[in-house]
Amino acid sequence: MHLCLITHEYPKSGFAHGGIGSFIKTFAPKLVAQGVIVTVVGLSYDYQEDYEEDQGVRIYRLGYKNIKRMEWYHGMKAMNKKIAEIHKENPINIIESAELELAFLTKLPGIKYVIRLHGGHHFFSESEHRKIDFWKGFQEKLSFKKADAFIAVSHYVKMHTENYLSYNRKPVVSINNLIDVDFFKPITRKINQFSIVFIGTVCEKKGVRQLIQSFPIVKEKFPDATLEIYGRDWLFPNGKSYIEMLQETEISKLGSSAIDIHFHGRVNYEYIPEIYAQAQVCVFPSHMETQGLVAPEAMAMEKLVIFTNQGPGPETITNLENGLLCNPFIPEDIANQIIWVFSNEEKVAVICKNARQSVLEKYSAALIVQKNIDFYTKLIQ
């Protein structure tokens, strides 16, 4: 079986990538280990042609013309050309992409086209209370019409997407993103007592503002608490930094507490387990997720995770059993969950053990990879 994954986010040293890139970097080599040929095709981070192999995964990052308002055309022209070349050399059975990426791909005979639902434009526009952008909405609808099948990364994203887009009576299955439980495993490190760790893009939908607003409430009970924020900054359409906005509108109000909030910037994937290991609690109060990777990653390391009670949060965590859930829109609730963690050491230890076990049972590579292979096989038979 030859699988071609369409993404522009496959991680490359020195460049930022998102959750889809992290997922594919974990997923693709596991498929190769099971005998699947995996090729990744995407546009280059810097418009320059680039090729590498990673654990048997062939990665093509394509150069294309950077012409204002025409980047999409030249990018898709390069993508179609490269896919046709690869298919001629070694026939592709399945092409898989995220929600918008099939829109302008030329469908080639003999290939099945699959969309993996990570949360597309319609999904997040509704959750973020913003209007559908005509161009992106058009691409997503066109992409869905071209797809032969769909894989949703959670039951929630499957059901919620269907409120806005049709699956056109094509096969749809829910398969969670996998977690590399050998990479994210318990490691012995000195825990920074009363440390609160967030990892993710620093933006509104990840709940960072409410997490910062919760911090002074925690500080009242635990004066030694620190808030460690790791992740790339998000920029407003006018180019202004989201972190700068937080510093001006939220952190400036906190007085002496502000010195214990630390922005560490983007962190390379290989260092993430070390960050989790030193945290006393990991907090991810997202306003919306499709599944989320950071919560089960930290759980796999036997860390206490406070996750959102919105969207698929309850699919990942059963409150007080393998983690805690919070209302991400209410800073007081986030603070109360953190305070509970700092106040209940013995109960937390039990929850942390349960956390890893729940990830092993639901997100382990062996389980998730086989589910995907079974679905692919059925699709091309």
Side-chain angles (χ1 to χ4, degrees):
M1 182 190 302
H2 185 182
L3 171 68
C4 181
L5 299 172
I6 305 300
T7 181
H8 316 308
E9 293 188 23
Y10 199 94
K12 181 180 180 181
S13 180
F15 294 89
H17 64 274
I20 293 176
S22 296
F23 161 71
I24 291 179
K25 182 173 175 59
T26 304
F27 179 55
K30 303 290 186 186
L31 288 171
V32 171
Q34 295 300 313
V36 179
I37 300 170
V38 181
T39 303
V40 175
V41 178
L43 301 179
S44 172
Y45 289 99
D46 55 7
Y47 304 103
Q48 301 300 312
E49 191 86 15
D50 181 73
Y51 173 80
E52 69 170 309
E53 292 190 16
D54 178 19
Q55 303 173 74
V57 180
R58 300 184 302 168
I59 304 133
Y60 294 90
R61 299 185 182 95
L62 307 180
Y64 62 106
K65 294 180 182 179
N66 180 17
I67 301 175
K68 189 176 181 180
R69 297 181 182 175
M70 292 297 290
E71 298 99 327
W72 69 272
Y73 171 77
H74 291 290
M76 294 314 302
K77 184 178 179 181
M79 295 275 289
N80 280 316
K81 181 180 178 182
K82 177 56 68 175
I83 290 168
E85 290 174 357
I86 294 168
H87 185 53
K88 184 177 180 179
E89 176 187 333
N90 189 348
I92 297 168
N93 301 108
I94 292 174
I95 287 179
E96 179 184 306
S97 78
E99 283 86 343
L100 274 69
E101 305 299 337
L102 296 184
F104 302 115
L105 284 186
T106 301
K107 289 196 74 173
L108 301 174
I111 299 176
K112 294 293 185 180
Y113 290 75
V114 176
I115 288 176
R116 191 174 298 260
L117 304 171
H118 293 279
H121 182 67
H122 284 81
F123 179 93
F124 279 113
S125 292
E126 187 275 338
S127 65
E128 294 168 10
H129 308 291
R130 53 184 169 82
K131 292 182 179 179
I132 301 296
D133 177 84
F134 171 80
W135 180 236
K136 290 182 179 179
F138 169 74
Q139 290 181 69
E140 195 164 43
K141 288 179 179 179
L142 182 58
S143 189
F144 269 55
K145 287 181 180 179
K146 287 188 174 182
D148 297 303
F150 301 84
I151 300 173
V153 301
S154 67
H155 180 69
Y156 180 80
V157 74
K158 174 180 178 290
M159 300 303 294
H160 202 62
T161 299
E162 196 170 18
N163 292 332
Y164 306 96
L165 295 163
S166 172
Y167 296 130
N168 301 301
R169 299 182 180 180
K170 304 291 178 61
V172 187
V173 64
S174 295
I175 305 176
N176 294 121
N177 289 332
L178 64 85
I179 302 299
D180 189 339
V181 295
D182 295 320
F183 184 67
F184 293 102
K185 62 184 178 182
I187 55 177
T188 302
R189 294 290 185 274
K190 181 181 178 181
I191 291 176
N192 296 324
Q193 194 173 27
F194 306 123
S195 60
I196 306 159
V197 166
F198 166 92
I199 295 181
T201 302
V202 183
C203 63
E204 186 68 17
K205 72 180 181 182
K206 294 295 183 180
V208 182
R209 182 165 58 87
Q210 287 83 2
L211 178 56
I212 289 171
Q213 290 172 345
S214 77
F215 188 60
I217 303 172
V218 176
K219 292 283 278 186
E220 290 178 8
K221 295 254 184 178
F222 296 94
D224 294 330
T226 65
L227 177 54
E228 313 296 337
I229 299 174
Y230 294 85
R232 62 180 176 178
D233 194 5
W234 183 85
L235 300 179
F236 290 96
N238 64 4
K240 183 172 182 177
S241 157
Y242 186 81
I243 292 176
E244 287 181 8
M245 183 277 291
L246 290 174
Q247 290 170 331
E248 293 170 2
T249 62
E250 302 295 341
I251 297 175
S252 62
K253 302 175 185 177
L254 301 184
S256 60
S257 295
I259 64 172
D260 291 319
I261 298 177
H262 307 124
F263 291 94
H264 298 274
R266 182 178 61 85
V267 59
N268 287 337
Y269 183 79
E270 58 266 29
Y271 300 129
I272 293 176
E274 288 287 338
I275 295 169
Y276 287 145
Q278 297 175 57
Q280 185 162 356
V281 61
C282 300
V283 185
F284 310 114
S286 298
H287 297 173
M288 181 54 65
E289 290 282 359
T290 54
Q291 174 195 305
L293 292 171
V294 288
E297 285 173 355
M299 292 165 67
M301 296 189 64
E302 295 187 355
K303 305 305 296 187
L304 195 292
V305 171
I306 299 173
F307 197 27
T308 179
N309 67 2
Q310 303 293 301
E315 292 183 45
T316 304
I317 285 180
T318 300
N319 198 44
L320 292 173
E321 183 176 311
N322 60 347
L324 299 180
L325 296 172
C326 70
N327 186 324
F329 300 104
I330 303 178
E332 293 80 7
D333 190 50
I334 299 170
N336 287 339
Q337 307 310 318
I338 296 170
I339 290 168
W340 187 93
V341 173
F342 289 165
S343 305
N344 290 275
E345 185 176 346
E346 291 185 5
K347 292 180 180 178
V348 163
V350 174
I351 292 173
C352 288
K353 291 290 184 183
N354 292 342
R356 177 166 174 82
Q357 186 59 38
S358 68
V359 173
L360 291 173
E361 293 173 358
K362 189 172 182 179
Y363 301 102
S364 68
L367 174 68
I368 300 301
V369 168
Q370 192 57 53
K371 283 186 176 182
N372 279 277
I373 290 174
D374 290 346
F375 183 70
Y376 293 148
T377 302
K378 185 177 180 180
L379 192 62
I380 63 179
Q381 284 178 343

